[in-house]
């Protein structure tokens, strides 16, 4: 038996931790992308990266110039951005504090320690991200550790299921946003499609999804069709849209008669019918936009079915 | 370090006035001596860090970022011999038994008024008296399931009862966590001394709550005002240790006079609430209408016996500071026994002759508002200015019922880790008493220590810290 408030909080706790991890990957890969580019003429610098997160208007409100330093600060350490890595971990930890009796002691102590570390780092250097590489490594490692500890120490009860649903709904949302980077980064000219710059961008997207290596093992081809196939439709890769939707659906299985399960299942079924060629013909951006809307709707339906009893 | 220790004319629990170590304290004093100040300080720092990482904090209402603080902890344990403890334990059991009889009587037959032991007006005018509870009979006639009585040791070495806390006393989580930490830090000392166990408290509490459940296998919850309450950590801690649901008002709903929790599977019944929220706030339809923390209909469900609330609403009538003065009479009346643990000599300003005494001797007495707690609303005569004394005189004259005067007790001191090494600091003690199928007292309790030099105020909101309390066979 799980209180609605507790399930709701666990759902968000997992989302925030997953969000922090995804941001860390994404920002790290974008930094690499920037360093690899021979010259930035025609590319719009960090604007596509910030736009992908959906928080460009918020960025514009607080910053005059969209340069690397500002974008980095905004996405990692900025308290004014509720989705920055720091804010996400702070929110996760604050939520954990309110439902602490539902977490294992190990999970709580880990998250609390992680937050205190970040807070200290923030205090030491409030405006500038020091030692970016170590920072991203720590965020990824700590987030994964937290999820691992949860999986290893928490009973598979309703509370755990909602944390799983939150985690995979968040991951599904982030994979659609990362892929959309392809739309926002406009190549200097049509001729650049298929060139090293194009390939570099795809590699960045794969790395942002922590998918580069698994993708290489999956196929020897390279190009939009196979990458879309892998990141959207691959049933066995744990960060693909397909995989995430399936996890959400399975998490909702105990409530088979409800609206949420029905919606997750219909999303799942439609994914089994898609193919990369059709997605490209429809337009990748339009496809992803549509997917994000459906994921948001699913979040709303879950909220009204379970959390506002 | 301990060589230069100065008892400074106070009763020190480790050293007698002639500097000799008191019996029962020898093993600890030797251990501290051998360890040395440097090592102790390292251990103290390690403990502080541990508390922060474990997230053992209390909330302070003020700025947003610093709302969480670690409750300062002193690593030198306070030792009480088992022999002395037996006496304290017997005194507490006697007191709680009598006070429970008293509450039951006040709300039902009121025999104690008819027999002229205590004035009816004094009791019924108490802030803790709740008219809607008149005539109620809580399950198994237990009102005060959980009590945290404040004890102090005076300059004469004797233990006195300072205050009865029968509403929502807090501090037990620090007792349990402090002990866990001390076991890690002083494992060798633990093996040397036989320290009585406190870790079974959550199980004992759960047993009490189940014992008073309106039904067999009732669902138990801890009812918290929420994350912004200063003791939120403790609510969460106890729920976790008991495997109970931690619920807020928004998680509960009353239908047909039964109480339910909102769960992802729909509404589920709940039967016992260990509530850590004041009487005033539990039900906006009966008590404070502006309460956002309460549950409409909860009191009616309680009145009908469909849910047990621990402690029972209205129990606070017995911890009114004016009624405190009558506790010796209350014990005599219900149990026909003499009080084992003495009260601090107390003067009621509602009695004209005693009012006069308080006004004349205000510079020597401690004056307290009967309804205030947490060390607020009090005047410590010997430490106050003439102006403060005059202000209090005016307040007392305006509302005599609202004030008591007490003899100033020089709180005992115990060795404490301070800036300049080990020094004596004033302490009190809050043992916890559980009332279920039997009355049980946790061996030891929360020792609160006034960390500021010379301070007598031990409250955490005013510079107090805590110590682990060891009841040992000696």
């Amino acid at each position: 038996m799980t209180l609605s408030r507790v399930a709701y909080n666990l759902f968000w706790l997992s989302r925030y931790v997953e969000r922090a991890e995804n941001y860390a990957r994404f920002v790290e890969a974008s930094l690499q992308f920037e360093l690899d580019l021979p010259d930035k003429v025609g590319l719009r610098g960090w604007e596509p990266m910030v736009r992908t997160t959906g928080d460009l208007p918020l960025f514009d409100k607080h910053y005059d110039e969209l340069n690397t330093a500002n974008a980095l600060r905004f996405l990692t350490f900025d308290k004014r951005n509720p989705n920055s890595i720091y804010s996400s971990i702070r929110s996760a930890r604050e939520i954990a504090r309110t439902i602490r009796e539902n977490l294992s002691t190990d999970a709580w102590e880990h998250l609390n320690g992680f937050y205190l570390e970040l807070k200290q780092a923030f205090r030491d250097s409030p405006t500038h991200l020091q030692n970016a590489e170590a920072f991203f490594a720590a965020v990824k490692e700590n987030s994964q550790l937290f999820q691992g500890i949860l999986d290893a120490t928490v009973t598979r009860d309703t509370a755990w299921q909602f944390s799983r649903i939150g985690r995979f709904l968040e991951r599904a949302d982030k994979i659609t946003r990362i892929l959309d980077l392809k739309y926002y980064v406009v190549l200097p000219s049509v001729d650049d499609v298929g060139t090293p710059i194009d390939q570099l961008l795809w590699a960045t997207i794969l790395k942002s999804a922590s998918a580069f290596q698994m993708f290489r093992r999956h196929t020897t081809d390279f190009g939009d069709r196979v990458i879309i196939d892998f990141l959207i439709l691959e049933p066995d890769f744990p960060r693909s849209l397909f995989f995430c939707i399936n996890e959400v659906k399975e998490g909702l299985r105990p409530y088979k008669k409800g609206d949420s399960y029905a919606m997750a299942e219909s999303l799942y079924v439609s994914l089994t019918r898609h193919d990369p060629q059709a997605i490209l013909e429809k337009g990748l951006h339009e496809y992803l936009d549509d997917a994000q809307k459906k994921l948001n709707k699913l979040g709303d339906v879950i909220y009204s079915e379970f959390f506002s009893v | 370090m301990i060589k230069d220790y100065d008892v400074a004319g106070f009763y020190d629990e480790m050293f007698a006035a002639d500097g000799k170590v008191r019996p029962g304290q020898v093993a600890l004093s030797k251990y501290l001596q051998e360890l040395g100040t440097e090592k102790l300080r390292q251990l103290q720092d390690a403990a502080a860090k541990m508390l922060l990482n474990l997230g053992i904090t209390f909330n302070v209402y003020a700025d947003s970022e610093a709302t969480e603080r670690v409750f300062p902890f002193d690593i030198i344990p306070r030792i009480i011999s088992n022999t002395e403890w037996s006496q304290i334990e017997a005194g507490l059991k006697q007191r709680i038994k009598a006070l429970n009889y008293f509450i039951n009587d006040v709300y039902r037959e009121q025999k104690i008024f008819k027999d002229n032991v205590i004035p009816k007006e004094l009791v019924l005018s108490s802030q803790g008296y709740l008219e809607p509870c008149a005539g109620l009979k809580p399950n198994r006639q237990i009102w005060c399931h959980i009590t945290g009585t404040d004890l102090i040791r005076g300059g004469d070495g004797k233990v006195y009862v300072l205050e009865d806390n029968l509403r929502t006393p807090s501090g037990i989580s620090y007792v349990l966590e402090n002990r866990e930490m001390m076991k890690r830090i002083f494992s060798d000392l633990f093996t040397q001394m036989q320290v009585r166990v406190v870790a079974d408290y959550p199980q004992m509490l759960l047993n009490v709550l189940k014992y008073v459940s309106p039904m067999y296998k009732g669902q138990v919850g801890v009812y918290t005002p929420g994350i912004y309450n200063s003791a939120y950590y403790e609510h969460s801690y106890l729920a976790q240790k008991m495997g109970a649901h931690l619920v807020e008002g928004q998680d509960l709903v009353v239908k047909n006079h039964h109480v339910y929790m909102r769960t992802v599977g729909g509404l589920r019944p709940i039967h016992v609430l260990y509530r850590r929220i004041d009487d005033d706030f539990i039900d906006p339809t009966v008590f404070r209408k502006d309460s956002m923390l309460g549950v409409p209909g909860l009191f009616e469900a309680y009145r009908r016996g469909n849910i047990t609330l621990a402690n029972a609403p209205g129990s606070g009538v017995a911890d009114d500071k004016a009624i405190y003065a009558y506790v010796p009479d209350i014990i005599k009346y219900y149990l026909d026994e003499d009080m084992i643990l003495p009260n601090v000599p107390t003067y009621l300003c509602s009695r004209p002759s005693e009012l006069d005494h308080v006004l004349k001797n205000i510079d020597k007495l401690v004056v307290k508002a009967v309804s205030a707690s947490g060390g607020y609303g009090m005047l410590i005569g010997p430490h106050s200015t003439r102006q403060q004394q005059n202000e209090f005189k005016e307040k007392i004259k305006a509302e005599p019922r609202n004030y008591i005067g007490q003899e100033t007790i020089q709180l005992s001191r115990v060795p404490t880790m301070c800036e300049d090494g080990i020094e004596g600091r004033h302490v009190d003690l809050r043992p916890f008493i559980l009332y279920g199928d039997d009355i049980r007292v946790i061996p030891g309790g929360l020792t609160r220590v006034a960390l500021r030099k010379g301070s007598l105020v031990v409250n955490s909101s005013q510079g107090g810290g805590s110590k682990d309390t060891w009841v040992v066979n000696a």
Side-chain angles (χ1 to χ4, degrees), chain B residues 234-305:
Chain B
E234 178 158 304
H235 310 160
S236 161
Y237 177 90
L238 289 172
Q240 185 179 16
K241 295 287 172 196
M242 293 194 292
H245 288 280
L246 180 66
V247 296
E248 297 177 16
Q250 51 168 316
D251 299 323
L252 299 173
V253 62
V254 178
K255 287 208 163 148
N256 296 322
H257 310 301
H258 286 267
V259 187
Y260 298 88
M261 298 184 286
R262 301 175 202 269
T263 79
V264 290
L267 300 180
R268 293 283 181 274
I270 185 158
H271 309 100
V272 184
L273 285 173
Y274 173 29
R275 49 103 183 193
R276 293 291 298 262
I277 178 168
D278 290 340
D279 287 345
D280 277 355
F281 292 93
I282 56 173
D283 185 343
T285 63
V286 181
F287 304 105
R288 277 180 65 155
K289 292 182 177 42
D290 59 343
S291 170
M292 306 292 284
L293 310 167
V295 185
L298 182 62
F299 190 78
E300 183 59 24
Y302 166 71
R303 221 181 54 76
R304 290 169 182 249

Side-chain angles (χ1 to χ4, degrees), chain B residues 141-372:
Chain B
Q141 305 202 37
I142 300 173
W143 293 74
C144 45
H145 310 83
I146 301 107
T147 307
T149 303
D150 287 342
L151 305 178
I152 53 175
R153 191 194 295 278
D156 52 4
K158 276 207 292 198
V159 172
Y160 296 86
V161 175
L162 181 67
E163 227 170 84
D164 299 290
N165 296 293
L166 299 157
R167 302 171 205 214
T168 56
S170 63
I172 187 65
S173 59
Y174 297 116
V175 174
L176 302 174
E177 290 283 20
N178 285 352
R179 178 60 58 83
E180 279 310 302
M181 201 162 53
M182 292 293 276
K183 276 177 9 196
R184 292 192 212 180
I185 294 177
F186 288 134
S187 48
D188 44 347
L189 190 56
F190 260 89
T191 42
Q192 260 183 60
M193 305 176 83
Q194 291 171 306
V195 184
R196 283 186 58 189
V197 176
V198 293
D200 52 353
Y201 180 87
Q203 185 59 51
M204 291 195 319
L205 174 59
L206 184 60
N207 291 345
V208 167
L209 297 172
K210 281 156 75 180
Y211 180 72
V212 293
S213 167
M215 64 177 294
Y216 182 64
K217 288 196 174 178
Q219 182 72 239
V220 175
V222 177
Y223 178 12
T224 174
I227 187 95
Y228 298 109
N229 184 273
S230 59
Y232 181 80
Y233 167 72
E234 178 158 304
H235 310 160
S236 161
Y237 177 90
L238 289 172
Q240 185 179 16
K241 295 287 172 196
M242 293 194 292
H245 288 280
L246 180 66
V247 296
E248 297 177 16
Q250 51 168 316
D251 299 323
L252 299 173
V253 62
V254 178
K255 287 208 163 148
N256 296 322
H257 310 301
H258 286 267
V259 187
Y260 298 88
M261 298 184 286
R262 301 175 202 269
T263 79
V264 290
L267 300 180
R268 293 283 181 274
I270 185 158
H271 309 100
V272 184
L273 285 173
Y274 173 29
R275 49 103 183 193
R276 293 291 298 262
I277 178 168
D278 290 340
D279 287 345
D280 277 355
F281 292 93
I282 56 173
D283 185 343
T285 63
V286 181
F287 304 105
R288 277 180 65 155
K289 292 182 177 42
D290 59 343
S291 170
M292 306 292 284
L293 310 167
V295 185
L298 182 62
F299 190 78
E300 183 59 24
Y302 166 71
R303 221 181 54 76
R304 290 169 182 249
N306 293 333
I307 188 148
T308 299
L309 298 174
N311 291 354
S315 301
V317 69
D319 71 7
D320 184 287
K321 290 187 179 73
I323 290 164
Y324 163 92
Y326 288 92
V327 175
D329 305 321
I330 289 173
I331 291 175
K332 189 82 195 160
Y333 180 71
Y334 292 107
L335 305 179
D336 195 23
E337 291 171 8
D338 290 327
M339 181 184 243
I340 300 172
L341 276 180
N343 267 4
V344 175
T346 301
Y347 308 97
L348 289 176
C349 299
S350 56
R351 291 178 180 152
S353 62
E354 297 180 18
L355 169 66
D356 202 44
H357 179 82
V358 171
L359 292 176
K360 278 192 185 130
N361 296 286
I362 198 160
D363 57 329
K364 299 183 196 75
L365 299 172
V366 175
V367 178
K368 292 176 179 172
V370 294
S371 53

